């Protein structure tokens, strides 16, 4: 298993985030060659398609295909927007890309702008990321000085300007159209689709929104080739991926490993289970993805398709590991509170339903559960699922349905006895 | 067109349509809350979820475009399950206070919950409560009932042109509010009452007054501006309980101005007249109708026999119906006088012969106009629905210029706006004409000597360019020109500009004045116009439907004339101390909603309406009073049975109506005096007696501002005026003392003082030259 | 706290330095899209105003960006980083979301509450600290963690918190 080949490829250098360090691993060579050789944008898009790079923000949509939706020949403004509004519980990889390898993201964004015909890019970074914002801004300054940004870059005739935009605390802005609204200075409320951003995006102009990790992967894909990247992973699951190993592991951290790596290996990389405890459950892709029982998880591969086999999703690669001491009712209560707190309030099922879910789970946790509560929760969750503009409703429903499915006994015990099973905290 | 199927019904649909629009057109019902045909799509309530073949989840009908071969199911198991689940979520935090909710019985949530709701709630947690906000005297808020559909927010942004309401907070804590409590300022604000699908926004004056099912709806026509908005009167026990719009795409669409919506409150004013009265030995006595009518005819005939019929004048409000206007002039002409007029606020009649009426223009043509020049009109106050239509055109790309005595936020994209006093207004128009001359097909020879020698200013050039570049430009001339003593000069220049630029000129009529032109309630031959009727101080006056000091151009002159007259009759719906002072007979007249009649709008559209409630007390419809007066006067041709008979006679081809000429009017000079000029705007809620008696409208911030004189800082400094001290405005020997506000929107050389108030009634004439100084220094 | 002018002509609002900072942001967006700068500007003004936004500041910003005041209120009430009431000199935001919870954020929160003698959402009497419970701050591998003013502090223990806060006081 090879580590840190793509987004973290400067991680062995100190400091890793400077232009100098980035150049020393081959940084900006791809951009220079693309511009010098006037590489055809279609060819870049083709390569990204062939790399089987899938959106690293959670949805896993093929990046090259997304780029191909852009009407790149349409005259007028077009935008590339990077989604660095990282906030899915369990996810903290983009923060490290911004802090430790910002130039690779910048190079990726310039190339993507070139490929999709955008002359302006915005990197939407969540407002709490003070340090990553500073690092990214400093890197932008270096890139500008080096002539990688601005008008007529390296004499190629290609113009591209890249700006940082900052958020102010709203998970929903990680949803791409909510992010656009927020970038326009409004509340982050997702837009209904169609129209899709590629047709009607930022300021009503064609726009592509990609995750930080996806965009940071671009220079490496073009440098070593789509096949190389693809072969790092498994078919249809190209490349390596950063996994945020959090929760009850000995060495929590971000691990960039090839897609398809068995979970068991990843767990070992993260030092194994804390205190030698037994693994009880894993949320493999961030709080929005269904929970998987520990034993089942030990059999799965860390890839989009691999996790799919376990009835969950790879999401953003945010692996939340829970050991046998975890009260699943309490864990679900905390997750449900998150969606209640972060619902934008626009759609009825999510606005009203997330609070209802949370309150019922809280009641169970506090020993006031009723016998019909579990059925009610599942039914409610199913009624939210699929009935809202964006996926936050689905995200709120998935944990409820999966926790109750896999840990029904524990919920039942809470309802019957008003407290946790003996072996949990 | 694409082929789709909804519930098995094959339809051919425009491919730009959403499913819900296709369904609505086909009469297939899909439940909805946030969707409204006149507003942008929000897709937030999720009530309109339907099943679409091949879609993996239910889709919102409001935001899913149709596509060829699409099969939609609105009442399949999938669709109904989705709709039921949304309904459950909507209801969990909705208070079940329907018994005390004004929306009860006409609530979209209540209606749909009958179809999609459960009998018993599974929700056992605590319900949300939201603090109510005070957003002014017209709209009551009960925000706990809000279902966050955001129709009201979108209305403000998209239709009213001012975003006052928003959705603050997020998630379950999202609230619709102004955030900082204040009264809404939009003149169309009441429409959010209709738009709100639940009882969160209801009519404040109507609160707890009646239940929807207790009332009967009667169609009618709103009388306060030149649009003739289509309305519905909701009646209970012979009382108008409220007014709501009726859809009419050609006129008011789905909307209503606050003035048209809330003026009905004046109907129940304690100032309503309900019995005929005559003055005997300076004492008012209630008498029966016969006595009062006999006394009227006897008194007038007395004046005529003693001084001649030319000593009698008849003045009638432009809000009167076509039938009233016609019978009024017929009766007075029968008595021998041609001193008849409805143009009560007009002062300049020199271009009377010019006919500016429009025969081939419809109100909805505004939508197709690509350039507007607003001259001397505060369009939002004067004609709110026309302002709305201009706003929609402007939002779609039409250009807008405004030249007036003051600037005001028009709540629409405006290309240029200028505030100038009258002499400069004349010069500006002349400059625009001059700029247009260069490209004119034919030079207007009569004008060449009058137009200035100077080169046009950049502003004038730009307006000229705006007009000449437009395919379909429209100029509006409003009250702030039409009420001026120099109105003819200003209008003639507007006509010239329109002609040179091949634009449409629309002189905005006051309420029903087009009906009065049609009826002939103005001098036909040698008769005196309104101004002369008062200035010449005649012996006898008949006044119909107006307040002599609030609805006329020269209040103190009117006051003097009436005081000196030997016989005065007032046919009116409202008490007035002044009328009690001057009149000899007071005949109580039925008001709006109490009489049948005809309204002729700005585009000559005739709209008939029936009386909806019985007249107040012993008052009678105006046309019946006039019919009997005709009979008692022993005149022929007053044997009408219904108001329709009157209309038939008006429309009779045998009737000859004096038509104005189209040739125009050329003023002698374009140089006007430029002393400090009074701007005498009739404020939105002072336009006629009914409006003035609507308490809720009088409590709006708009009305509360009427008491102040306003002047710009520069002019204030010149005269040593400041807002801490009252100012004295004087005109000849008349003086009024008023508080002052600095308002830099007012043009140089002007001071603003609202007309149609008890203060303005103490001044000689509107738009006159005045002196102003700090109180205590005069 | 910076002195700010909140009424008057647009070109004189706030202060020269603040306008300059805000203009840098406004310049990032296309012409006519100044509203895009609302969030960055609110951050700048909040920082300059001791950590919170008054109504006057929001109204002045609406004027400055030429947008309706309600649009600024909507944004300020939507995003959790904006404070609409005065806060302490230092703001402590503790993440208690799932990864942090699994690693003991409850203990961290309890410790802070006891140490500062306030509950989440409150400010210490001396005006030094405001304590907030917040959602995931994207540093889950460093759980439990908190944001103190502009700095992330990870792998927290009660002792570490004592050191950090005591360091601030000295």
């Amino acid at each position: 298993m090879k580590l840190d080949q793509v987004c973290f490829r400067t991680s062995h250098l100190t400091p890793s985030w400077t232009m100098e360090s980035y150049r020393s691993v081959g940084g900006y060579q791809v951009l220079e060659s693309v511009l010098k050789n006037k590489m055809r944008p279609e060819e870049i898009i083709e390569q990204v398609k062939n790399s089987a790079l899938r959106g690293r923000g959670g949805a896993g949509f093929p990046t090259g295909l997304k780029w191909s939706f852009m009407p790149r020949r349409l005259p007028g403004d077009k935008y590339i927007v990077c989604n660095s509004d990282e906030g899915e519980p369990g996810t903290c990889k983009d923060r490290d890309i911004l802090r430790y390898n910002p130039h690779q993201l910048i190079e990726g964004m310039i190339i993507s702008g070139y490929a999709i015909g955008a002359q302006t890019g915005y990197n939407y970074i969540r407002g709490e990321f003070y340090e990553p914002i500073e690092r990214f801004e400093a890197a932008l300054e270096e890139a500008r000085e080096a002539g990688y940004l601005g008008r007529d870059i390296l004499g190629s005739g290609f113009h591209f300007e890249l700006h940082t935009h900052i958020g102010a605390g709203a998970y929903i802005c990680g949803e791409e159209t909510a992010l656009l609204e927020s970038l326009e200075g409004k509340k982050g409320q997702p837009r209904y689709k169609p129209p899709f951003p590629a047709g009607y995006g930022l300021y009503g102009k064609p726009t592509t929104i990609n995750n930080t990790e996806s965009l940071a992967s671009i220079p490496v894909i073009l440098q070593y080739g789509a096949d190389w990247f693809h072969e790092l992973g498994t078919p249809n699951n190209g490349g390596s991926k950063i996994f945020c190993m959090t929760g009850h592991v000995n060495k929590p951290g971000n691990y960039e490993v090839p897609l398809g790596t068995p979970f068991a290996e990843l767990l070992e990389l993260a030092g194994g289970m804390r205190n030698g405890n037994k693994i009880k459950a894993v949320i493999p892709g961030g709080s929005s993805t269904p929970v998987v029982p520990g034993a089942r998880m030990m059999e799965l591969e860390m890839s989009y398709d691999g996790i799919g086999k376990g009835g969950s999703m790879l999401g953003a690669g945010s692996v939340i590991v829970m050991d046998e001491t975890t009260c699943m009712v309490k864990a679900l209560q905390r997750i449900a509170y998150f969606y209640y707190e972060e619902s934008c309030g626009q759609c009825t099922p999510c606005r009203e339903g997330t609070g209802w879910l949370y309150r019922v789970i809280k009641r169970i946790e506090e020993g006031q559960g009723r016998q019909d509560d579990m059925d009610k929760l599942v039914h409610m969750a199913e009624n939210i699922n699929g009935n809202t503009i964006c996926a936050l409703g689905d995200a709120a429903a998935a944990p409820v349905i999966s926790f109750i499915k896999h840990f029904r006994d524990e919920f039942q015990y809470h309802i019957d006895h008003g407290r946790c099973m003996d072996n949990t905290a | 067109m694409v082929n789709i199927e909804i519930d098995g019904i094959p339809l051919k649909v425009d491919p730009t349509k959403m499913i819900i629009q296709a369904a609505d057109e086909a009469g297939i019902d899909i439940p909805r809350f946030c969707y409204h045909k006149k507003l942008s799509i929000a897709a937030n309530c999720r009530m309109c979820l339907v099943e679409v073949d091949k879609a993996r989840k239910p889709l919102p009908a409001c935001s899913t475009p149709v596509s060829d071969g699409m099969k939609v199911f609105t009442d399949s198991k999938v669709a109904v399950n989705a709709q039921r689940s949304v309904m459950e979520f909507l209801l969990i935090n909705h208070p079940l206070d329907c018994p005390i909710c004004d929306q009860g019985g006409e609530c979209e949530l209540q209606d749909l919950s009958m179809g999609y709701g459960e009998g018993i709630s599974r929700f056992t947690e605590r319900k949300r409560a939201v603090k109510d906000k005070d957003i002014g005297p017209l709209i009551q808020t009960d925000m706990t009932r809000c279902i966050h559909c955001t129709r009201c927010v979108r209305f403000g942004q998209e239709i009213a042109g001012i975003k006052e309401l928003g959705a603050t907070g997020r998630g379950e804590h999202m609230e619709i509010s102004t955030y900082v409590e204040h009264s809404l300022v939009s003149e169309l604000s009441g429409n959010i009452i209709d738009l709100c699908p639940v009882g969160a926004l209801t009519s404040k004056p109507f609160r707890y007054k009646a239940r929807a099912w207790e009332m009967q709806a009667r169609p009618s026509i709103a009388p306060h501006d030149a649009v003739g908005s289509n309305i519905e009167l909701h009646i209970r026990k012979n009382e108008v309980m409220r007014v709501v719009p009726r859809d009419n795409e050609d006129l008011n669409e789905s909307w209503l101005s606050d003035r048209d919506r809330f003026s009905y409150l004046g109907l129940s004013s304690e100032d309503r007249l309900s019995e005929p009265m005559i003055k005997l030995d300076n004492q008012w006595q209630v008498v029966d109708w016969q006595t009062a009518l006999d006394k009227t005819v006897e008194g007038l005939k007395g004046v005529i026999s003693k001084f001649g019929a030319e000593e009698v004048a008849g003045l009638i409000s432009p809000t009167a119906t076509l039938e009233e206007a016609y019978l009024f002039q017929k009766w007075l002409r029968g008595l021998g006088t041609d001193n008849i007029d409805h143009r009560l606020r007009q002062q300049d009649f020199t271009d009377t012969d010019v006919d500016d009426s429009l025969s081939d223009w419809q109100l909805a043509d505004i939508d197709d106009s690509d350039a507007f020049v607003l001259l001397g009109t505060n369009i939002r106050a004067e004609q709110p629905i026309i302002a709305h239509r201009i706003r929609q055109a402007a939002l779609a790309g039409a250009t807008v210029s405004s030249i007036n005595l003051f600037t005001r936020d028009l709540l629409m994209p405006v290309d240029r706006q200028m505030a100038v006093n009258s002499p400069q207004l004349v010069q500006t128009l002349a400059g625009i004409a001059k700029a247009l001359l260069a490209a004119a097909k034919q030079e207007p020879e009569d004008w060449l000597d009058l137009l200035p020698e100077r080169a046009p200013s950049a502003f004038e050039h730009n307006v000229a360019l705006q007009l000449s570049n437009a395919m379909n430009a429209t100029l509006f001339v409003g009250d702030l020109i039409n009420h001026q003593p120099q109105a003819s000069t200003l209008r003639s220049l507007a006509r010239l500009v329109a002609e040179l630029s091949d634009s449409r000129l629309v002189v905005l009529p006051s309420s029903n004045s087009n009906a009065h032109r049609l009826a002939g309630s103005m001098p036909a031959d040698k008769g005196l116009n309104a101004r002369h009727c008062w200035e010449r101080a005649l012996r006898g006056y008949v006044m119909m439907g107006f307040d002599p000091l609030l609805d006329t151009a020269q209040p103190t002159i009117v006051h003097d004339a009436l005081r000196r007259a030997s016989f005065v009759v007032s046919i009116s719906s409202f008490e007035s101390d002044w009328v009690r002072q001057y009149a000899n007979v007071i005949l109580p007249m039925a008001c709006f909603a109490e009489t049948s009649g005809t309204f002729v709008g700005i585009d000559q559209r005739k709209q008939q309406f029936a009386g909806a409630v019985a007249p107040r007390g012993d008052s009678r419809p105006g046309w019946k009073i006039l019919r009997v007066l005709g009979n008692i006067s022993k005149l022929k041709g007053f044997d009408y049975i219904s108001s329709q008979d009157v209309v038939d006679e008006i429309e009779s081809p045998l009737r000859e109506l004096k038509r104005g000429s189209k040739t125009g009017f050329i003023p002698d000079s374009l140089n006007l005096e430029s002393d400090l000029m009074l701007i005498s705007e009739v404020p939105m809620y002072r336009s006629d007696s009914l409006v003035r008696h609507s308490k809720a409208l009088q409590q709006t911030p708009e009305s509360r501002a009427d008491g102040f004189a306003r002047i710009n800082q520069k002019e204030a400094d010149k005269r040593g005026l400041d807002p801490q001290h009252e100012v004295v405005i004087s005109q000849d020997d008349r003086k009024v003392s008023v508080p002052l506000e600095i308002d830099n929107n007012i043009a140089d050389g002007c001071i603003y003082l609202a007309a149609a108030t008890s203060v303005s009634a103490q001044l000689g004439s509107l738009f006159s030259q005045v002196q102003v100084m700090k109180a205590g220094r005069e | 706290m910076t002195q700010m002018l909140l009424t008057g002509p647009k070109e004189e609002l706030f202060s020269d330095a603040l306008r300059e900072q805000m203009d840098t942001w406004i310049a990032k967006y296309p012409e006519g899209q100044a509203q895009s700068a609302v969030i960055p500007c609110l951050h700048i003004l909040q920082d300059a105003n001791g950590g919170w936004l008054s109504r006057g500041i929001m109204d002045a910003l609406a004027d400055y960006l030429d947008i309706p005041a309600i649009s600024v209120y909507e944004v300020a009430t939507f995003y959790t980083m904006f404070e609409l009431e005065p806060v302490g000199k230092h703001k402590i935001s503790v993440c208690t979301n799932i990864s942090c919870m699994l690693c003991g954020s409850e203990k961290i929160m309890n410790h802070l509450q006891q140490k500062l003698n306030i509950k989440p959402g409150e400010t210490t009497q001396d005006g030094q600290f405001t304590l907030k419970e917040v959602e995931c701050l994207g540093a889950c591998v460093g759980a439990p963690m908190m944001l103190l003013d502009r700095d992330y502090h990870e792998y927290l223990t009660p002792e570490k918190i004592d050191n950090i806060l005591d360091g601030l006081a000295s």
Side-chain angles (χ1 to χ4, degrees), chain B residues 107 111 349 434:
Chain B
C107 173
D111 293 350
F349 292 86
K434 177 98 191 246

Side-chain angles (χ1 to χ4, degrees), chain A residues 95 122 165 183 203 334, chain C residues 28-29 36 43 79 96 154:
Chain A
R95 172 172 174 244
Y122 292 100
H165 182 88
L183 186 42
Y203 312 124
R334 186 61 188 86
Chain C
K28 294 184 179 192
Y29 311 102
S36 275
H43 277 302
Y79 296 91
T96 60
E154 303 175 39

